[in-house]
Amino acid sequence: MFKTSSPTTTLINFLIGLTILTMTTFLIAVIISFNSALSSAAIKSILSKVNMDSVLVELIRSEVHALPPSENLPSLTELSLDLLINIKPKDVRTFLGNEIPGLALYHTEIAVAGQGTNITNLPIESPPPQFHLLEETDEPEDNKKDEDNRSKNKNKTVFIYHSHSWEAYKPLLKNSAQTSSNNEKANVIAVGETLKNKLEDKGIGVEHSKKNVSQALTSRNWNYYQSYALSRETVQEAMGNNDKLKFFIDIHRDAQPKKVTTAVINQKRYAKLFFVVGKEYKNYEKNRAFAEKLHAEIEKKYPGISRGVFVKGKSEGDGVYNQDLTEHALLIEFGGVDNDMTELSNSAEALADVFSEYYWGESGI
């Protein structure tokens, strides 16, 4: 004779079934999250936390119990959270970074902080401009050109270019409400030309690309996010045409206001600089060391001019910035939207001063 299940047993069975269903749903969600998280950037981020020597020692220790445990291995919980949902238990920013608009900005790693640099004043990227509106260029208020006699060194070893050539400065534009322009006397191309002249004053041969990137992108039906693919072609073409090129400088400008991007040193005003290093390629540490070296040297002579060295991965931008093509690549942000040509020129002179000392000294050129 069969026994009828009691109401209590039925309730327990229901709860067990509900629990199994909930856990199954959770596991499916985890698998989906796991698959979406397995980007190259995520994997590299995880592997960067793991010292492979420590892993080997840990494997040996599992068999030879007399060995002490490794202290360099991150916990399984830490690795799991980072890989599956991009949360780092030791970094509170990651708990809200994907939920609060704009907070993801603060994932940028400050490799070396300059004076006053902290999480509240990290670099800001200007929003992508509407390229068709940039065709009508603006005349700058100050169009004076330095006509000094400069070195005509035919040995070109430095290449200056601009992945975002439209990034402009308000004081150089008649319409100060704008922050983008194709006028090469009002945007970062003007800074590149100034730096070129300052370096040539030091006897360094420089090649400067003034390519109008917005027009080049438009002609191919490419968008803003393909800027670095376009500038990569520019760099590779330059390298192919001149095997003496050793240093590559991509000049940008920040969108932070003047109080963040301006320094006063010995009663002289400078547009602050900062160095960006991508980390999504092999041996990126060499370019990072190069940027950190220049940061340290320029801070010695012009304390407060550098906002520091920032390291970015795929989640914060391009993550490579064409720096995988050479061991002496720089991405430098010159000032911000509110800096004027005097401040920018002073900074170009300071950078040329320090760069030339490195060039003629340690670089072995």
Side-chain angles (χ1 to χ4, degrees):
M1 193 169 182
F2 297 102
K3 293 183 178 180
T4 305
S5 299
S6 66
T8 302
T9 302
T10 301
L11 178 60
I12 291 175
N13 290 337
F14 172 77
L15 292 175
I16 292 174
L18 181 61
T19 301
I20 293 174
L21 177 62
T22 302
M23 292 180 65
T24 301
T25 303
F26 175 76
L27 286 174
I28 293 173
V30 167
I31 291 171
I32 294 173
S33 299
F34 182 79
N35 288 334
S36 64
L38 282 180
S39 64
S40 61
I43 293 173
K44 288 179 181 178
S45 174
I46 298 302
L47 292 180
S48 67
K49 297 177 173 62
V50 180
N51 184 313
M52 296 310 296
D53 291 336
S54 299
V55 172
L56 181 59
V57 170
E58 189 67 15
L59 290 173
I60 297 174
R61 191 198 69 80
S62 65
E63 300 299 328
V64 184
H65 301 292
L67 289 177
S70 171
E71 297 180 355
N72 296 321
L73 288 175
S75 70
L76 181 59
T77 300
E78 180 180 348
L79 285 175
S80 300
L81 287 173
D82 197 353
L83 182 60
L84 295 177
I85 53 178
N86 197 28
I87 286 181
K88 300 175 179 61
K90 296 179 181 179
D91 188 348
V92 68
R93 297 171 298 178
T94 62
F95 286 88
L96 298 174
N98 295 323
E99 305 303 326
I100 299 178
L103 192 60
L105 162 73
Y106 301 110
H107 292 176
T108 298
E109 176 187 345
I110 305 176
V112 182
Q115 294 182 25
T117 297
N118 56 55
I119 191 175
T120 67
N121 55 26
L122 292 180
I124 298 176
E125 183 81 12
S126 293
Q130 293 180 292
F131 292 151
H132 67 281
L133 298 179
L134 298 180
E135 298 309 311
E136 296 296 329
T137 59
D138 299 283
E139 289 298 327
E141 293 181 0
D142 186 359
N143 191 24
K144 294 180 181 179
K145 184 177 180 180
D146 188 355
E147 298 292 347
D148 294 342
N149 292 324
R150 294 183 172 82
S151 167
K152 300 302 181 182
N153 191 340
K154 294 182 180 179
N155 185 26
K156 310 289 187 180
T157 55
V158 176
F159 185 70
I160 297 174
Y161 68 104
H162 312 276
S163 294
H164 296 160
S165 64
W166 57 80
E167 292 178 339
Y169 301 89
K170 291 181 180 179
L172 306 184
L173 296 167
K174 282 186 176 181
N175 184 354
S176 60
Q178 295 183 355
T179 59
S180 300
S181 173
N182 276 336
N183 190 331
E184 64 182 41
K185 299 185 186 304
N187 58 30
V188 288
I189 293 177
V191 178
E193 189 65 11
T194 302
L195 179 60
K196 172 182 179 289
N197 293 337
K198 301 295 183 182
L199 289 172
E200 287 181 341
D201 286 342
K202 304 290 185 180
I204 301 172
V206 182
E207 184 178 338
H208 180 206
S209 171
K210 298 182 180 181
K211 177 179 290 186
N212 185 324
V213 176
S214 67
Q215 288 183 352
L217 289 172
T218 301
S219 68
R220 298 190 184 191
N221 291 320
W222 285 12
N223 59 37
Y224 166 86
Y225 300 100
Q226 294 168 293
S227 303
Y228 288 102
L230 182 69
S231 62
R232 187 178 188 85
E233 293 180 4
T234 301
V235 172
Q236 289 176 323
E237 181 180 358
M239 296 175 77
N241 293 334
N242 180 7
D243 60 4
K244 290 184 172 62
L245 291 175
K246 303 297 181 185
F247 300 91
F248 298 82
I249 305 175
D250 188 3
I251 293 179
H252 294 246
R253 70 107 179 92
D254 192 18
Q256 284 279 14
K258 191 160 188 170
K259 64 180 181 180
V260 175
T261 64
T262 309
V264 179
I265 306 169
N266 296 327
Q267 299 182 334
K268 194 171 182 179
R269 300 181 70 83
Y270 295 82
K272 286 189 176 184
L273 311 174
F274 71 82
F275 303 86
V276 176
V277 179
K279 64 178 181 180
E280 300 294 346
Y281 59 95
K282 187 178 180 180
N283 296 327
Y284 90 92
E285 294 87 356
K286 293 183 178 180
N287 278 317
R288 174 173 174 169
F290 179 40
E292 291 180 357
K293 175 66 175 177
L294 289 184
H295 161 81
E297 293 303 316
I298 202 169
E299 277 293 291
K300 287 180 183 178
K301 299 190 72 171
Y302 305 89
I305 194 173
S306 176
R307 291 168 63 191
V309 179
F310 301 83
V311 177
K312 293 191 174 187
K314 284 287 187 183
S315 61
E316 294 87 38
D318 178 78
V320 178
Y321 307 108
N322 303 318
Q323 294 171 352
D324 58 322
L325 298 175
T326 173
E327 297 177 0
H328 291 95
L330 295 170
L331 191 160
I332 306 177
E333 302 265 357
F334 264 79
V337 291
D338 297 321
N339 287 110
D340 59 39
M341 200 61 218
T342 298
E343 296 159 348
L344 294 164
S345 180
N346 288 342
S347 296
E349 184 174 5
L351 180 61
D353 178 25
V354 171
F355 182 90
S356 64
E357 291 181 354
Y358 174 87
Y359 181 92
W360 295 116
E362 297 182 33
S363 70
I365 298 297

